[in-house]
Amino acid sequence: MLESWIELARGPLLRLALLAMAVGLLRQVLLQVWEISWAFHRAGDQVVPWRVALRRNLEWLLPWRYLQRKERRAYNFTSFLFHVGVIAVPLFLAGHVAIWNQELGLSWWTLPPAVADWLTAITVVAALGLLLGRMVNSASRVISKFQDWALPVLCILPFVTGFWVAHPLWSPFDAQVVYLVHLLSAELLLILVPFSKLVHMVLFWVSQTSSELGWRFPPGSGERVRVTLGKETEGI
Amino acid sequence: MEAEIRTLPEVSQDVLASLRPPSLTPEKIQERLSYIIEKDRVVGDLPRRFLEAFAAVLKHTNYRQVIDNYARIPARCANCACACQIYQQTHDPKDVPCYRSNLLLEVYRRHFTLRGIVEGHLSGAPFLTDDLILEMAETYYHCTACRRCTLECPLGIDHGLVTHLARYVLSEIGLVPRALVISTREQLEGQTRNTSAIPWPAIADTLEFLEEEIKDDKGVDVKFPVDQPGREFIFFAPVSDYLMEAETLMGIAVVFYATGAMDSWTISTEFLDGINYGLFYSDWILERCLREELEQLRRLEARKILIGECGHASRSAKAFMRTFGGGEKAPPVVNIMEYTYRALKEGKLRLDPDVISERVTYHDPCNLARTGWIIDEPREILRSFCRDYVEMEPRGQWNLCCGGGGGTVSVDEIRPYRTGVTGVKKAEQIRATGAHYVVAPCANCKKQLREVCEDNGLDDVEVVGLHDLIYKAIVLE
Ligand code: SF4
Ligand code: SF4
């Protein structure tokens, strides 16, 4: 019984989840690119500091910008560690690369097992740290929504179960159940990517540019808004 | 009006139908937000009008792509809250920048995205209510649009932009501080063509008086050039300078005298006010003000636009002149401090280091410093002749807002808020420097800082412009 479930989760479900994520992300990217080009086309000032915007994105990817400031230093650094883990482990763990190889026919560099173990542990601890940080900081606590709590928890699941899959002796649960939970939770996450704030993995790259373009007005837009609202003859 | 709604693609009839019936009277609105105009006086009915205005704005502007992005990605990490001096003062959840921006983003998400509309259908609850609109009207004028928080957002969310957009939509339904509307109306549609409603003859008198003052103080003949064609610069100062900041204007005039460039600038009699409240609340107004400046530049065949000591006037011209002035063809925009700095570097200014013996510090106007535009120039000028110059912390790009940014300084009704909440951190900063002179090269900052000092017991502090001190120290022969 469990075996057939695992088969399903390993094969068709995994492919479905990956496909759903890819299609969803592609849609988001295309929409955003289209919107940005449209905005650019209409802008009266087409000098957009693309490079500066990209540089600001890169600055936030690396930790030393926020390591220099004392506010939220620990939280931001935890977030950095967490992101390293959630990107590196799914992509570069030897067992995963084997799957990618089998599914896509592509193969690449893999993490040494010991490093992968440590990274997994760090990711889990970092996720807990982020949740804790969210809880103790009153500002982030009040602005948090359901997904801000749920997603880190959901991220912890595949990492913990994945660790047990690699080290069955440490696992308190049945190996097959653990494996199934690992697969299903990871797939759920993949499917959620385009529909949750996880979409920042692709939209993050354009947000700084978007902000710049938001300030690049189309000339005459103010007047056109007035006309649309039927107020063209009205004074201030 | 019905037909009108149907031609707007973004607000669906279902959404409109789901809105609650109007519950507010103009009196109630006035009571809650006494400084806000509800011009149209359509009783209640705010949600429908808000959505229509929002739809029209999204249709014709470039905001959609950016708020769509913002609505999808927020990390809700609260980094921004650490950077916001208002939140740091109040610790009120409503002052978390991300919370505030989310009000508008949520309206967008619920009423302008497919998913939001479907969700709204399923839940059946009307989302946009009178109360939410009034909350927005209030909170978006609590934010000073200083954009300090933007430096701290890992996702690059620009809360200044969201605040600007929200105020823009609100202004299109008549919710905008009265002080801003009245001044703008006088500036663009009134007789005097300036925000303080000073008729030209009065300004001409002032200029003549200032010329005599300069003669008395400095012994030289300095004329304020008026309507002179073919000059390099056409000069726009915030008009309030002509009433209240005489020393700033005299300082600017003597800098031109000292550089031997008396015939390189001119003031226009038709439109001389650099103030552009459009930057604070309306793209429509922003464009109209800048077009007036361009018009005067053409009329007097000047080549560059020179803005006096004013943060928002400078930023609105600098950042948007290309937009409305034809991209590449737009005239360059120069702030007076850049001009004076160049004069100093070229060795054309003689500033007597023995005149200013009191301690001096410098306040960075957000609109000049946040993007890193003008930070070092005024400091170098000040250090060249002020013996006891000290810095505030934080400063430069990371400066704290005076507390009256985003046009809030003009709203006298909220002075207790400006000096008791937003300006408190600034008062502490100034106190820590022990300075006598706080140099603030911005008409808005000057007014706000004077009130902040007054209300926070900083009685010995004198808030001045950069050119005020230059005027005192300059040596002319
Ligand atoms: S810093 Fe940015 S992502 Fe974090 S809470 Fe503020 S707006 Fe949201
Ligand atoms: S723009 Fe300034 S006042 Fe407004 S939320 Fe950001 S830091 Fe606070």
Side-chain angles (χ1 to χ4, degrees), chain A residues 131-233:
Chain A
L131 282 169
L132 189 73
R134 192 174 284 287
M135 235 178 287
V136 298
N137 180 293
S138 57
S140 66
R141 191 172 61 234
V142 294
I143 59 176
S144 295
K145 310 241 158 150
F146 177 71
Q147 60 166 323
D148 301 308
W149 304 107
L151 286 174
V153 175
L154 196 57
C155 283
I156 291 175
L157 258 187
F159 276 82
V160 173
T161 51
F163 190 82
W164 287 334
V165 169
H167 306 278
L169 289 179
W170 295 41
S171 164
F173 304 106
D174 176 66
Q176 280 191 320
V177 174
V178 166
Y179 191 35
L180 188 62
V181 172
H182 177 68
L183 287 166
L184 290 178
S185 57
E187 282 154 10
L188 181 61
L189 265 177
L190 293 179
I191 292 172
L192 283 177
V193 166
F195 303 105
S196 63
K197 70 172 187 179
L198 296 179
V199 72
H200 73 267
M201 69 167 69
V202 292
L203 292 188
F204 160 76
W205 295 96
V206 292
S207 60
Q208 302 270 7
T209 313
S210 265
S211 300
E212 292 289 345
L213 270 170
W215 290 112
R216 298 290 187 288
F217 303 158
S221 59
E223 196 56 47
R224 284 196 288 280
V225 168
R226 305 286 291 183
V227 172
T228 304
L229 293 173
K231 296 201 284 188
E232 62 270 43
T233 55

Side-chain angles (χ1 to χ4, degrees), chain A residues 15-85:
Chain A
R15 268 174 237 143
L16 194 73
L18 283 170
L19 192 71
M21 177 176 89
V23 171
L25 287 182
L26 193 68
R27 177 177 158 266
Q28 297 277 9
V29 170
L30 289 180
L31 278 178
Q32 193 69 27
V33 167
W34 190 83
E35 293 258 16
I36 283 191
S37 3
W38 178 223
F40 179 72
H41 171 77
R42 302 206 284 192
D45 174 7
Q46 301 197 322
V47 180
V48 180
W50 309 102
R51 261 199 241 156
V52 178
L54 189 68
R55 203 194 55 221
R56 271 189 239 135
N57 280 137
L58 289 173
E59 266 174 18
W60 278 108
L61 283 181
L62 299 172
W64 30 274
R65 182 192 160 103
Y66 37 85
L67 283 180
Q68 284 165 15
R69 294 185 45 75
K70 68 177 187 306
E71 288 99 356
R72 303 289 274 161
R73 190 190 282 156
Y75 183 87
N76 285 329
F77 189 62
T78 311
S79 167
F80 170 72
L81 293 178
F82 173 76
H83 280 84
V84 170

Side-chain angles (χ1 to χ4, degrees), chain B residues 84-353:
Chain B
C84 177
Q85 70 202 64
I86 301 174
Y87 178 76
Q88 289 306 321
Q89 193 63 35
T90 64
H91 286 278
D92 179 344
K94 292 190 169 176
D95 287 329
V96 178
C98 196
Y99 173 87
R100 179 184 292 113
S101 292
N102 196 50
L103 294 176
L104 186 76
L105 295 179
E106 200 56 28
V107 174
Y108 169 76
R109 219 181 62 76
R110 287 293 297 262
H111 293 311
F112 295 95
T113 65
L114 184 64
R115 195 164 132 212
I117 295 173
V118 172
E119 271 176 27
H121 249 295
L122 295 180
S123 74
F127 182 70
L128 188 59
T129 57
D130 283 344
D131 269 328
L132 178 55
I133 291 174
L134 289 202
E135 182 183 348
M136 288 197 279
E138 191 168 38
T139 192
Y140 283 116
Y141 281 95
H142 277 177
C143 166
T144 67
C146 71
R147 305 210 292 164
R148 190 166 193 263
C149 49
T150 299
L151 296 176
E152 278 286 13
C153 178
L155 297 168
I157 293 180
D158 185 342
H159 299 284
L161 185 144
V162 179
T163 292
H164 173 86
L165 171 60
R167 291 172 172 195
Y168 181 23
V169 177
L170 287 164
S171 78
E172 288 296 343
I173 63 169
L175 291 175
V176 57
R178 192 178 300 115
L180 298 182
V181 180
I182 288 173
S183 322
T184 311
R185 190 179 293 143
E186 184 59 31
Q187 183 187 23
L188 294 174
E189 293 169 358
Q191 286 292 312
T192 60
R193 318 274 289 143
N194 64 66
T195 48
S196 300
I198 320 171
W200 170 255
I203 291 179
D205 276 356
T206 306
L207 291 179
E208 212 171 292
F209 173 75
L210 298 186
E211 285 161 1
E212 282 161 22
E213 284 280 291
I214 297 173
K215 179 87 184 158
D216 288 352
D217 294 344
K218 302 283 172 184
V220 292
D221 278 310
V222 173
K223 285 262 168 275
F224 283 89
V226 168
D227 274 349
Q228 298 296 319
R231 300 265 158 115
E232 181 179 3
F233 298 109
I234 177 157
F235 178 69
F236 298 98
V239 73
S240 46
D241 281 11
Y242 293 90
L243 282 181
M244 280 140 33
E245 308 294 342
E247 296 227 330
T248 307
L249 289 178
M250 293 194 289
I252 291 169
V254 296
V255 165
F256 275 106
Y257 179 87
T259 52
M262 285 297 286
D263 55 0
S264 74
W265 68 309
T266 185
I267 298 168
S268 165
T269 51
E270 284 185 12
F271 187 93
L272 50 71
D273 191 0
I275 284 178
N276 190 341
Y277 288 151
L279 182 69
F280 303 145
Y281 80 92
S282 165
D283 296 5
W284 181 54
I285 303 291
L286 179 84
E287 176 163 357
R288 287 179 67 181
C289 288
L290 289 181
R291 290 211 183 278
E292 293 288 351
E293 292 180 6
L294 281 165
E295 171 62 29
Q296 296 310 316
L297 172 115
R298 279 190 206 113
R299 182 176 78 87
L300 294 174
E301 294 156 9
R303 297 190 296 285
K304 296 177 187 159
I305 287 180
L306 179 69
I307 309 282
E309 290 196 10
C310 184
H312 88 277
S314 302
R315 176 172 157 226
S316 52
K318 180 83 176 175
F320 299 97
M321 198 53 81
R322 295 174 60 95
T323 296
F324 305 114
E328 298 293 326
K329 298 196 299 284
V333 174
V334 181
N335 175 284
I336 185 66
M337 293 198 290
E338 296 178 297
Y339 179 86
T340 303
Y341 176 72
R342 208 181 62 211
L344 180 82
K345 288 279 114 174
E346 288 168 356
K348 290 180 183 159
L349 291 188
R350 270 187 58 206
L351 300 168
D352 183 352

Side-chain angles (χ1 to χ4, degrees), chain A residues 4-22:
Chain A
S4 56
W5 273 102
I6 288 175
E7 272 316 301
L8 186 71
R10 264 178 71 117
L13 275 185
L14 179 62
R15 268 174 237 143
L16 194 73
L18 283 170
L19 192 71
M21 177 176 89

